[in-house]
Amino acid sequence: MKFADFILPGAVKAEITAANKQAVIREMVQSLLDAGGIEKDEYESIVKAISKREELGSTGIGRGIAVPHTKHPSVNRLVGSVAVCSEGIDFDSLDCEKVYLFFLLVSPPERPGDHLRALEHITRQLKDDTFCRFLKQSKTKEDILALLEEADNNMFGK
Amino acid sequence: MTHFPKITRELLVSNRCGIHLRVGNMLAQKAKEFSSDIRIRKGTYAADCRSVLDILSLGAFQGDAVVIETVGEDAQQAAEAIAELFNARFYEDEQVQ
């Protein structure tokens, strides 16, 4: 699986305005809505489901990365948004560090494999220090999209 | 310097959702209870069991075979503890991911 298979280009944001964990989730789900990835009627339900998943344990997995996610019956395919926050946000991460890179995923409940393949792709790419550093430094949506495309084309070392 | 033999265990990922984030975190937390070096290998990829990022990058799905390798003073106990999580299917509630 590649970023292009699940990240909606219209749901990619540099410099998000959110200042806390809940606001990040709301802003990123709003991005998905704006990009046509989810239905308007489902916005609150998806935000609630992602927040509930966070209560089970933060999806801040360390190294300044978080992957908030949920399964949701309203989507018929995996959809994802990306956000970068240069200031960093407290996301209750496992390593207690701030989070700078967010990948938010909403997947159909009956397709757990797609979710796992997306996590595999995200984490494999983010293990590359160069990719991770450039992504954190991205100032525009175009920069982020270009980096994701380069990663999809295996232009970063593994 | 004391030389510790490597202990290996072949295990099967048997829970429906595979090694997703919460399971990865469970493995990493367990690994941190031991001083031994603990690796999970799937095919050509090897992950440091203390790193969630590393574990998730394996892409371990239901039905996949993985090999646990432990080296160190408490390697035997570490291998057993990790194997126990696999065998218990990570205590998964299949409805929550």
Side-chain angles (χ1 to χ4, degrees):
Chain A
M1 186 174 278
K2 295 185 170 192
F3 287 122
D5 295 326
F6 60 96
I7 298 297
L8 306 181
V12 170
K13 281 187 112 171
E15 295 301 336
I16 51 171
T17 55
N20 58 53
K21 186 172 184 172
Q22 190 59 25
V24 172
I25 293 169
R26 296 195 78 85
E27 190 168 343
M28 291 188 75
V29 176
Q30 183 65 47
S31 288
L32 278 181
L33 175 59
D34 295 342
I38 60 165
E39 298 294 329
K40 191 177 179 186
D41 292 351
E42 305 294 344
Y43 173 84
E44 287 297 340
S45 170
I46 290 172
V47 167
K48 193 174 168 188
I50 291 172
S51 304
K52 196 174 165 194
R53 167 59 188 86
E54 289 296 325
E55 286 172 14
L56 295 174
S58 176
T59 59
I61 54 177
R63 294 188 63 182
I65 303 156
V67 193
H69 61 265
T70 189
K71 294 174 183 172
H72 202 273
S74 69
V75 294
N76 55 22
R77 74 172 186 101
L78 173 66
V79 288
S81 58
V82 178
V84 176
C85 177
S86 59
E87 299 290 309
I89 290 171
D90 180 7
F91 211 75
D92 305 321
S93 283
L94 305 175
D95 62 357
C96 304
E97 299 291 330
K98 283 184 173 181
V99 172
Y100 302 86
L101 296 178
F102 299 89
F103 288 81
L104 182 139
L105 305 171
V106 183
S107 58
E110 70 280 8
R111 300 184 64 123
D114 285 356
H115 171 74
L116 208 55
R117 270 184 281 274
L119 271 185
E120 176 190 0
H121 188 65
I122 292 167
T123 50
R124 275 196 189 181
Q125 299 301 335
L126 290 174
K127 275 169 69 177
D128 183 87
D129 289 337
T130 309
F131 175 66
C132 200
R133 194 174 65 246
F134 283 161
L135 207 51
K136 285 176 184 171
Q137 291 169 350
S138 295
K139 297 287 179 218
T140 67
K141 174 181 176 169
E142 289 70 28
D143 287 348
I144 298 171
L145 285 169
L147 284 166
L148 297 182
E149 190 182 339
E150 286 180 21
D152 277 349
N153 293 329
N154 298 312
M155 291 173 75
F156 294 99
K158 297 291 182 295
Chain B
M1 201 173 113
T2 316
H3 175 75
F4 297 107
K6 184 193 287 180
I7 295 184
T8 61
R9 287 277 188 96
E10 256 187 65
L11 298 166
L12 192 70
V13 180
S14 53
N15 63 316
R16 177 173 172 264
C17 293
I19 300 184
H20 57 89
L21 206 156
R22 204 153 41 82
V23 169
N25 191 28
M26 190 187 291
L27 285 165
Q29 293 304 319
K30 183 56 74 179
K32 286 173 187 168
E33 293 175 14
F34 300 93
S35 62
S36 294
D37 183 53
I38 307 171
R39 294 194 174 271
I40 305 181
R41 204 173 275 283
K42 183 194 152 192
T44 54
Y45 273 93
D48 178 350
C49 199
R50 285 183 179 78
S51 162
V52 181
L53 191 74
D54 241 23
I55 294 171
L56 293 179
S57 70
L58 288 172
F61 296 79
Q62 184 180 36
D64 282 348
V66 299
V67 176
I68 305 297
E69 299 174 347
T70 59
V71 180
E73 204 168 334
D74 52 9
Q76 188 68 47
Q77 296 94 313
E80 278 168 22
I82 297 295
E84 192 178 309
L85 291 179
F86 274 81
N87 294 334
R89 299 158 62 97
F90 307 107
Y91 308 100
E92 278 273 82
D93 169 5
E94 301 287 22
Q95 298 305 310
V96 185
Q97 186 172 309

